[in-house]
Amino acid sequence: MHLKVFKSLLFSCLIAISAFGQEPIDIEFANRFKVIKKNDISWGDYQGSPYLEKNYSPAKIAASDNIYSVKYNAYTDQMEVILNGDVKALNPISNYTVEFVNQNKVYKVFSNKKGEKGYFVVLFEGEKSVLLVKETIKFYYEVKPKSGYDKYKPAQFNREKDRFYMGLKDASSTLLSNKKKDFYTTFGEFSEAIKKFVKSEKLNVKDSADLIAVFKYYDQL
């Protein structure tokens, strides 16, 4: 996709979708083109999308009652908000939530082990911890065949497998391992109790519904 075409599509989106409410004081100005350019992608023809949803959707930000047009960019890990006809990136602040009102979906900001802040989907929030999902989209450059036996692979955005995390009260997060032994150690002194519960209930620690049951039980210990 060339720059001229990209700007044309962006302009069409801005005309088609209007934002509601006033601009929150913690939203930084950054239009979508600058966000993408910052990631050093040489735009050409590509497949897929950096977004999980095609259109902007109504959402509440933080404790505000205002409704904004928002779309999550899972490639740049940015919440893009339309404000006064411009696309801006919401600064990831730890106590912020973004609630998509028509999707029953809430994002919160947590930091990873490197201290980098990002947006996670909240599946369950208890007194001890929060069950989170990290949605990720990666960009893969085109691969040209080096011989007649190789296949051409176009540049594309690809939805990666979602990963589950435990969110803590200090807004940090820990990746939940797919290996049961490492999974249980995440719960510290309650690891044995969690292990027995998972075994007795025949739960799959890779399944979101079963993980919600685990976190609800953990919250009662």
Side-chain angles (χ1 to χ4, degrees):
M1 184 183 293
H2 297 292
L3 175 60
K4 186 179 294 184
V5 176
F6 180 81
K7 286 185 175 180
S8 176
L9 288 173
L10 176 59
F11 181 72
S12 299
C13 288
L14 296 179
I15 293 177
I17 307 174
S18 61
F20 301 90
Q22 299 299 313
E23 179 180 334
I25 59 175
D26 289 313
I27 291 185
E28 295 182 345
F29 288 77
N31 64 39
R32 182 162 54 179
F33 180 68
K34 287 183 178 178
V35 170
I36 294 175
K37 186 177 180 181
K38 182 177 66 176
N39 286 275
D40 195 29
I41 292 296
S42 299
W43 293 103
D45 293 328
Y46 61 84
Q47 297 179 357
S49 170
Y51 302 100
L52 297 175
E53 303 292 338
K54 182 178 180 181
N55 300 316
Y56 285 82
S57 300
K60 293 182 180 180
I61 297 174
S64 173
D65 290 328
N66 295 331
I67 303 296
Y68 300 89
S69 294
V70 184
K71 183 161 62 169
Y72 178 55
N73 187 325
Y75 168 65
T76 61
D77 198 9
Q78 294 271 4
M79 281 293 172
E80 298 180 6
V81 187
I82 297 181
L83 297 170
N84 302 321
D86 295 319
V87 177
K88 302 172 184 177
L90 177 65
N91 188 32
I93 300 174
S94 296
N95 62 348
Y96 262 33
T97 61
V98 179
E99 179 183 358
F100 286 89
V101 296
N102 292 337
Q103 300 177 28
N104 192 28
K105 195 174 187 180
V106 176
Y107 288 82
K108 277 193 173 184
V109 175
F110 286 81
S111 60
N112 59 23
K113 62 180 181 180
K114 296 180 180 179
E116 301 167 335
K117 293 181 178 180
Y119 291 94
F120 294 77
V121 179
V122 177
L123 293 185
F124 170 78
E125 184 165 8
E127 292 296 325
K128 288 191 178 82
S129 62
V130 187
L131 175 58
L132 305 169
V133 170
K134 186 62 180 175
E135 302 166 323
T136 306
I137 291 177
K138 290 186 178 180
F139 181 80
Y140 293 88
Y141 289 93
E142 69 174 348
V143 178
K144 297 181 180 179
K146 296 180 179 180
S147 69
Y149 298 99
D150 297 327
K151 291 184 178 180
Y152 170 76
K153 295 181 180 180
Q156 60 183 312
F157 286 100
N158 187 58
R159 173 75 180 272
E160 303 297 296
K161 187 176 181 180
D162 292 344
R163 301 300 301 272
F164 296 104
Y165 284 75
M166 173 188 283
L168 303 176
K169 294 303 178 181
D170 63 355
S172 64
S173 65
T174 300
L175 177 66
L176 294 177
S177 176
N178 289 328
K179 297 179 180 179
K180 284 189 175 182
K181 181 179 178 181
D182 295 331
F183 172 83
Y184 296 131
T185 60
T186 307
F187 297 89
E189 61 180 304
F190 300 104
S191 59
E192 283 300 318
I194 296 297
K195 183 177 181 179
K196 291 179 181 179
F197 176 74
V198 170
K199 186 176 181 179
S200 64
E201 298 296 322
K202 299 180 180 179
L203 301 178
N204 181 356
V205 297
K206 299 179 183 179
D207 180 78
S208 60
D210 286 356
L211 278 174
I212 290 174
V214 170
F215 271 68
K216 285 183 177 179
Y217 175 73
Y218 171 59
D219 201 53
Q220 298 171 2
L221 296 175

